Amino acid sequence: MQKPYFQLHALVVVLAFTAVLGHLINLSAPVLVSWRTGIAALVFLLVIRPKSSPTTAPHTKTALATGILLGAHWMTFFAAIKLSNITICLTGLATTSVFTALAEAIQEKRLPRPFELLIGAIMIPSMVMIVGVAETHLLGLLIAIFSAMLAASFTVINKALVRSGMAPAAITQYEMLGAFLTCLLTSLTMQLPLAAWIPHGLDWLWLFILAIGCTVIAYEWNIKLLRHFSAFETTLAINFEPVYGIIMAALLFGEHKQLDPLFLLGAAIILAANFAKPLAILIKRRKSSSQE
């Protein structure tokens, strides 16, 4: 299990870099995500087209529908960055664990486990500690929290798709297509001028890194890892993303100058919460082994 845990946290570093790229790319959120998902869908269609077992129609439709949630999540994610900054956005996203615990319980038709809710709830005060939210950042924070709700939804659905036997590459391809169509239609309704659709200069480089490295590779990687972890465990580990992302934002953009001194305490709580469940499982297993 050590290797999957290492891979999971390596993935989190890649995901954290997504926020940095979103800050660097000079496009509106819907247009940015249209490019991101369009390039990703094209790469899957032409390069990584899955040669897996045939996918049943119901699963294909589910993956396409999940792509709508994915597209909405990314649009709100980048919108939060544009409205506030990387720190605010990633901190709001840390509440994903709370929503995932609830969504997974609904899907499995059970009550949420108290331990899951407790760890997830810890993210809320830590979020406030990290940001020390000013009124000017409130809208960005609220949009980031809504983005977290969407992230929890498609994470749980993806776990079900993996359990159904659908190949990770197939899941990713159909979801990228669904996300692309969602973002493209949203962008078209905004009636943006043609100039707003054209990336300039380094935007092209950042877009391809975002689409291929942080989308195609990272997203399929994430789905494969769902074979080893529950949706809640995956999301909980991804709560390291705010910590890594905020550190990157501090080093690259000096956002640490805007942070409340409670940032370190909030980051420590997030780290402790991420270690809490694996440690609890380890202790439980050792007790079970000693009683046998």
Side-chain angles (χ1 to χ4, degrees):
M1 184 61 72
Q2 289 181 351
K3 186 176 180 181
Y5 266 113
F6 173 79
Q7 291 178 350
L8 182 58
H9 284 276
L11 171 64
V12 174
V13 174
V14 174
L15 294 177
F17 192 63
T18 298
V20 173
L21 292 171
H23 180 83
L24 290 171
I25 297 171
N26 296 305
L27 294 171
S28 66
V31 173
L32 188 161
V33 184
S34 294
W35 275 104
R36 176 188 189 178
T37 52
I39 294 171
L42 193 62
V43 169
F44 266 96
L45 181 65
L46 300 179
V47 182
I48 317 177
R49 190 164 188 167
K51 297 178 181 179
S52 54
S53 57
T55 304
T56 60
H59 291 160
T60 301
K61 292 177 182 178
T62 301
L64 282 169
T66 306
I68 297 174
L69 294 175
L70 178 62
H73 160 67
W74 278 338
M75 282 191 289
T76 51
F77 174 80
F78 288 115
I81 292 175
K82 302 293 184 183
L83 285 169
S84 51
N85 57 38
I86 295 171
T87 302
I88 302 294
C89 176
L90 290 178
T91 303
L93 200 67
T95 61
T96 303
S97 59
V98 180
F99 300 118
T100 302
L102 294 172
E104 202 167 32
I106 292 171
Q107 184 196 52
E108 296 176 359
K109 297 179 181 179
R110 61 170 173 82
L111 293 174
R113 298 184 182 98
F115 192 72
E116 291 178 347
L117 288 176
L118 177 61
I119 295 175
I122 288 173
M123 300 302 164
I124 297 175
S126 67
M127 174 190 68
V128 177
M129 291 177 187
I130 285 178
V131 183
V133 184
E135 291 183 4
T136 53
H137 294 306
L138 183 59
L139 179 59
L141 180 63
L142 292 175
I143 291 176
I145 292 173
F146 180 65
S147 184
M149 293 174 62
L150 294 170
S153 300
F154 70 72
T155 299
V156 171
I157 295 172
N158 280 341
K159 181 67 178 179
L161 288 173
V162 169
R163 286 174 176 168
S164 73
M166 189 174 185
I171 295 172
T172 309
Q173 181 180 14
Y174 289 120
E175 290 187 1
M176 287 302 132
L177 179 60
F180 169 66
L181 293 175
T182 299
C183 298
L184 181 62
L185 291 173
T186 301
S187 300
L188 291 175
T189 61
M190 297 173 66
Q191 298 182 335
L192 298 170
L194 180 62
W197 286 83
I198 309 301
H200 297 283
L202 287 175
D203 283 348
W204 286 107
L205 174 63
W206 305 139
L207 273 172
F208 275 95
I209 294 174
L210 179 64
I212 297 173
C214 299
T215 307
V216 174
I217 296 174
Y219 198 68
E220 187 178 358
W221 190 4
N222 182 29
I223 291 174
K224 286 180 179 178
L225 286 172
L226 284 173
R227 293 173 175 172
H228 301 282
F229 306 100
S230 70
F232 177 76
E233 287 171 327
T234 303
T235 304
L236 196 58
I238 290 175
N239 275 317
F240 276 99
E241 183 181 346
V243 178
Y244 297 147
I246 290 167
I247 290 172
M248 291 181 192
L251 294 174
L252 296 174
F253 309 115
E255 286 192 7
H256 63 286
K257 298 175 183 177
Q258 307 169 26
L259 293 175
D260 188 277
L262 290 175
F263 163 71
L264 292 177
L265 178 58
I269 292 174
I270 289 178
L271 290 170
N274 275 276
F275 282 112
K277 185 167 185 176
L279 285 174
I281 293 173
L282 180 62
I283 292 170
K284 185 177 180 180
R285 285 177 180 173
R286 286 184 176 178
K287 285 184 177 178
S288 298
S289 299
S290 63
Q291 291 174 357
E292 292 177 356

